[in-house]
Amino acid sequence: MNFFKRAWLSLTAKKGRSVLLILVTSAIMLFVLAGMLIHTAADTATTNAKKSVGATLTLSANREASFKKMRKSSSSNPKLTTTPVKLSNATKIAQLNNVSSYNVTSSTSVNAKSFDAISKSTSSTGPGGQSSSSSTGDIAVTGVTNTSEVSSFSDKTNKITKGRGLTIADKNTNNTVIESELASQENISVGDTITVKSTSGSKTYKLKVVGVYKASSSTSTQQGPGATDPSNTIYTSYTFANTVKGSKYAGTADSVTFNVSNPSQVSSVKKAGNKIINNSKYTLATNDSSYQTVKAAMNNVKSFADKIVWLVAIAGTITLALIVILMIRERRHEIGVLLALGESRWKIVGQFFVEMVVVLIVAIGIGGKFVGDKLGDQLVSQESSSTSATISAPGDKSVQMSGKPGGSGGGPGGGNSAIAGGGQTGTTGSTQETNLDVNVTVLTMVELGGFGLAIMFLSTMIASGGILRLQPKKVLIE
Amino acid sequence: MLKTNNLGYWYTQQKNSLFENVNLEFKAGQSCAIVGQSGSGKTTFLSLIAGLDKPKEGTIEFDGSDINQIGLTNYRKKDVSIVFQSYNLFTYMSPLNNLLTALAVTQSSHAGDKDFAMDMLRKLGLTDAQMKKNVQQLSGGQQQRVAIARTMVCDAKLVVADEPTGNLDEDNTAEVIELFQQIAHEQGKCVIIVTRESTVAKACDNAYRLAKHEFSMI
Ligand SMILES: Nc1ncnc2c1ncn2[C@@H]1O[C@H](COP(=O)(O)OP(=O)(O)O)[C@@H](O)[C@H]1O
Ligand SMILES: [Mg+2]
């Protein structure tokens, strides 16, 4: 084990060279560290992003099958009959693995009685402007289980500004959440009671206002003519919407949306769900487009980060190998003396490797830790801002058909994101800011050390080709 | 101790071989000089018997076994010790560490024996301060004495030297020759010195001349 001592003697005797080697190694290790941090950040971002976008399954009537049936029908007056979704099926599906929650949607319309609906502004005079036909009321009723799970609320297009949203506790009540423009026009506040009447009969219903929401798209110009003003949408419990529709709609819904907690499992949940439902009447539609978008974008980020790590590692290895080769050339004489003394070649290579490892340890120990912390902080802040920009970009396509018209707010905020250029992620789950917690941990340093060791080993091996071929006679006898 | 059997060598670029059919024998406890003009092939011959190169023809026997059998690395480690004209010390070490390193590498019986190494350096005229500073701060004569001390502390029974006095003045030359005689007569080793200087040859027990591709006893 004499070569350890030789390595030490050589390092301490040639201090200038050792310091230079340490500096170069620190620099290379910093590049590797940066690559690793980017890699970790990308990993975390990917995981978080995948988690934060939900995937959903929507249970609704099988319209395609109904159309086919209608066309086949020999009746002279074929009728399109779609079957409302049975809630008993929905509860069964909700119990499947990976289904975290579900939201029942049942939409209908009523006419305002105790107040006036907001009339359509400018373009309401078009041919379609006479919107209230006999079957369509001026107030759109969206019956839901839970307003917070409606996409327009979860993506923050709609925001509760006063009172509260509807929850499962509002089932079988006449509680409602109305839009702020309607509230201010009609001077309705939380706690008031409003009256609406059925579009077909003369039945009236009293609704208690428990909350007011603000629709950011209430002045949207993207609505086609004939659409009612978004401010005329009120949210109620789905049971109320069913009551308005009629007694045969009890225990049914237009659609039920299931949130799948693990988006990658969405197809297996769908398979299991399809066994529960009658496929000729109902259909389960997957919506994991946001997940797929995020997945694709994030996989790009990851492969990019992977490439950076490899690039840096390869560049580092080449640089160090060149330096070690130069160093070994400079030390041909010493190698010759060792060979003349009968030292085995691998022990000479071993000595150089030990020297490089000592250099590496010192480089990581003093350089890496100090500068690495600073670099880590910086990367974290950059990474998290770009990632959150990507993820919080509200999607244009509303994943869940909530009966609420419009809903196209928010520009693509992630457009200028450095890494994942504008991944539009319309999320049905909550849109979260993804905070990356990347620190230079002990583990990072150990990994860095491992990487450095591999680089040193490779460089020494590459450079040692010269040692293995060196003829001592040539070096020692001129 | 050392025998060459029909030894022959030539460089591929050259038409004629440097020497052919060389049959020499060197005995333990004796010093032998090989003289010859510059370019006659003395260094080449020495590199063969030192195990630094392989002969083109013939074999070299050390204590009855072919040095190829011993293995050239092993032969250099255990059996032969070389002194060069340009000293060839570890330039980044002190004289003492040079000796200790050589002892360790050759796995000699005195490996790790610092006092033994210091005694040897003292005997060869180095002060305690000198043996601990960098070897390059010593004079040429002192450096060659360190190289000879290195040979003297190691176990190898064959000592070969290539123009060991080539860089030295007369006084140092005389001292160095005296040291080689000690190695042969007191340590009982076999000493082979390649030299151009006839004074060196005269001081040795035996001498060969290499001229016109032939070795002849003088
Ligand atoms: N590596 C080599 N390649 C080719 N020719 C060489 C080489 N080394 C020495 N020679 C030639 O071989 C001859 C003998 O060289 P050398 O053994 O060094 O002689 P000496 O030591 O007696 O001066 C010289 O003519 C020299 O030019
Ligand atoms: Mg010569």
Side-chain angles (χ1 to χ4, degrees):
Chain A
M1 295 296 105
N2 181 249
F3 63 90
F4 283 106
K5 195 187 165 196
R6 280 201 319 260
W8 181 249
L9 284 175
S10 163
L11 283 172
T12 48
K14 304 210 166 159
K15 290 197 179 67
R17 186 186 68 193
S18 304
V19 168
L20 267 174
L21 266 178
I22 288 168
L23 288 179
V24 171
T25 310
S26 309
I28 290 169
M29 285 298 109
L30 277 178
F31 287 132
V32 174
L33 181 63
M36 280 171 55
L37 289 179
I38 290 171
H39 190 256
T40 318
D43 257 0
T44 318
T46 310
T47 319
N48 287 352
K50 283 181 184 171
K51 252 190 243 161
S52 68
V53 297
T56 58
L57 276 178
T58 304
L59 175 65
S60 57
N62 190 341
R63 284 178 176 274
E64 217 172 292
S66 306
F67 269 119
K68 267 189 199 153
K69 212 166 148 192
M70 178 185 83
R71 266 190 249 112
K72 272 189 205 154
S73 156
S74 53
S75 148
S76 56
N77 186 19
K79 226 183 132 201
L80 176 66
T81 47
T82 57
T83 326
V85 171
K86 269 194 238 148
L87 288 180
S88 55
N89 278 342
T91 43
K92 275 184 208 151
I93 293 172
Q95 262 142 36
L96 293 172
N97 276 343
N98 288 315
V99 176
S100 56
S101 61
Y102 68 105
N103 194 36
V104 176
T105 307
S106 179
S107 300
T108 183
S109 67
V110 291
N111 284 317
K113 188 158 188 270
S114 68
F115 61 98
D116 287 326
I118 291 191
S119 55
K120 199 77 172 97
S121 46
T122 55
S123 67
S124 60
T125 47
Q130 247 64 15
S131 59
S132 38
S133 71
S134 62
S135 61
T136 312
D138 50 14
I139 297 292
V141 176
T142 304
V144 296
T145 311
N146 203 326
T147 45
S148 66
E149 289 197 24
V150 176
S151 66
S152 52
F153 282 91
S154 60
D155 69 18
K156 298 193 173 76
T157 313
N158 290 346
K159 278 186 203 111
I160 300 287
T161 52
K162 280 179 201 137
R164 61 174 179 82
L166 297 172
T167 67
I168 185 77
D170 293 299
K171 189 177 163 186
N172 297 325
T173 68
N174 283 6
N175 291 342
T176 185
V177 174
I178 65 170
E179 212 280 324
S180 59
E181 220 173 291
L182 182 69
S184 62
Q185 179 191 291
E186 296 300 315
N187 214 2
I188 305 167
S189 47
V190 173
D192 289 355
T193 303
I194 56 173
T195 320
V196 293
K197 77 171 189 286
S198 152
T199 50
S200 48
S202 54
K203 247 182 147 180
T204 61
Y205 305 96
K206 276 187 177 157
L207 288 168
K208 193 177 173 223
V209 178
V210 295
V212 174
Y213 75 92
K214 171 135 186 48
S216 63
S217 58
S218 60
T219 53
S220 171
T221 52
Q222 288 182 13
Q223 294 160 240
T228 51
D229 192 286
S231 299
N232 288 334
T233 299
I234 67 170
Y235 287 89
T236 67
S237 144
Y238 72 89
T239 51
F240 174 76
N242 284 347
T243 309
V244 174
K245 282 170 161 177
S247 58
K248 69 171 178 163
Y249 284 90
T252 69
D254 293 348
S255 68
V256 181
T257 305
F258 303 91
N259 287 321
V260 179
S261 53
N262 184 351
S264 59
Q265 293 300 311
V266 81
S267 55
S268 72
V269 176
K270 184 182 176 180
K271 215 181 253 172
N274 271 330
K275 283 185 189 144
I276 295 170
I277 59 170
N278 177 344
N279 290 293
S280 65
K281 284 184 178 168
Y282 307 113
T283 161
L284 259 179
T286 315
N287 193 337
D288 61 350
S289 60
S290 40
Y291 169 68
Q292 295 299 348
T293 313
V294 168
K295 195 170 121 179
M298 281 310 176
N299 283 347
N300 277 342
V301 174
K302 253 178 98 170
S303 79
F304 177 70
D306 275 338
K307 277 178 197 140
I308 285 187
V309 173
W310 281 113
L311 213 68
V312 164
I314 290 167
T317 308
I318 291 172
T319 314
L320 269 178
L322 286 176
I323 289 170
V324 178
I325 286 170
L326 285 178
M327 187 185 84
I328 285 175
R329 277 169 153 258
E330 180 218 336
R331 293 169 72 173
R332 281 160 51 105
H333 177 262
E334 173 191 352
I335 298 165
V337 178
L338 284 166
L339 289 173
L341 282 173
E343 183 67 308
S344 69
R345 289 170 197 261
W346 76 261
K347 276 189 184 166
I348 298 172
V349 176
Q351 176 189 341
F352 291 133
F353 182 60
V354 170
E355 287 183 27
M356 296 314 284
V357 170
V358 173
V359 164
L360 178 73
I361 290 169
V362 178
I364 291 179
I366 56 175
K369 181 65 187 154
F370 175 73
V371 194
D373 273 343
K374 300 243 173 284
L375 188 77
D377 288 347
Q378 190 135 0
L379 271 177
V380 171
S381 54
Q382 277 173 3
E383 274 299 308
S384 55
S385 62
S386 63
T387 317
S388 57
T390 307
I391 293 164
S392 59
D396 285 335
K397 283 162 233 147
S398 204
V399 169
Q400 200 179 15
M401 290 310 293
S402 60
K404 192 188 82 60
S408 66
N416 58 353
S417 161
I419 296 177
Q424 290 184 341
T425 62
T427 58
T428 44
S430 57
T431 307
Q432 303 167 332
E433 293 243 322
T434 310
N435 291 315
L436 294 184
D437 188 22
V438 181
N439 293 319
V440 180
T441 58
V442 176
L443 186 72
T444 318
M445 295 314 283
V446 169
E447 274 178 13
L448 183 66
F451 232 121
L453 219 57
I455 291 179
M456 286 301 187
F457 183 75
L458 271 175
S459 336
T460 316
M461 282 303 141
I462 293 168
S464 65
I467 300 176
L468 299 177
R469 270 184 281 109
L470 191 75
Q471 292 295 317
K473 185 188 164 195
K474 283 207 177 108
V475 187
L476 300 174
I477 304 168
E478 57 277 80
Chain B
M1 164 146 302
L2 190 77
K3 241 180 103 188
T4 66
N5 302 316
N6 301 319
L7 204 61
Y9 196 94
W10 55 88
Y11 289 102
T12 38
Q13 300 99 310
Q14 290 177 329
K15 277 185 201 154
N16 300 320
S17 55
L18 282 171
F19 42 80
E20 267 175 279
N21 287 316
V22 179
N23 293 289
L24 298 177
E25 196 169 352
F26 303 94
K27 291 199 170 68
Q30 291 187 355
S31 64
C32 182
I34 293 170
V35 289
Q37 288 183 330
S38 181
S40 57
K42 304 183 297 295
T43 298
T44 306
F45 176 75
L46 181 127
S47 68
L48 297 180
I49 59 173
L52 292 171
D53 202 352
K54 286 183 177 179
K56 295 278 153 85
E57 277 175 358
T59 55
I60 299 164
E61 261 177 47
F62 180 85
D63 275 350
S65 38
D66 189 334
I67 61 169
N68 282 320
Q69 223 108 58
I70 300 170
L72 290 190
T73 299
N74 201 32
Y75 174 65
R76 290 199 301 265
K77 182 192 278 195
K78 298 283 185 194
D79 303 321
V80 66
S81 181
I82 315 166
V83 177
F84 302 89
Q85 181 175 354
S86 50
Y87 327 129
N88 285 336
L89 299 167
F90 295 108
T91 52
Y92 60 87
M93 292 183 195
S94 66
L96 181 59
N97 275 326
N98 261 281
L99 262 59
L100 291 173
T101 300
L103 282 171
V105 171
T106 59
Q107 298 168 350
S108 289
S109 49
H110 286 286
D113 194 340
K114 202 170 160 182
D115 291 335
F116 179 76
M118 285 174 79
D119 276 348
M120 189 62 80
L121 287 166
R122 261 184 225 120
K123 223 187 274 178
L124 269 64
L126 266 76
T127 65
D128 283 25
Q130 283 169 336
M131 63 182 78
K132 278 171 185 162
K133 58 186 183 185
N134 186 281
V135 78
Q136 285 177 307
Q137 293 171 356
L138 301 178
S139 73
Q142 286 170 323
Q143 287 190 46
Q144 192 62 300
R145 276 197 291 263
V146 174
I148 293 168
R150 177 171 69 184
T151 291
M152 291 172 83
V153 291
C154 290
D155 291 349
K157 286 191 284 178
L158 173 65
V159 174
V160 298
D162 188 15
E163 315 244 16
T165 57
N167 290 345
L168 303 180
D169 58 24
E170 267 175 52
D171 290 351
N172 275 311
T173 299
E175 266 180 61
V176 163
I177 293 169
E178 177 50 31
L179 286 172
F180 279 111
Q181 291 297 80
Q182 279 180 30
I183 294 174
H185 302 148
E186 288 167 28
Q187 294 194 318
K189 296 181 181 177
C190 174
V191 177
I192 302 168
I193 304 172
V194 157
T195 183
R196 272 173 298 173
E197 297 166 63
S198 51
T199 46
V200 178
K202 275 177 200 141
C204 290
D205 303 334
N206 308 307
Y208 291 99
R209 176 177 303 281
L210 173 57
K212 295 175 187 159
H213 317 294
E214 303 266 338
F215 282 85
S216 53
M217 183 94 97
I218 42 174

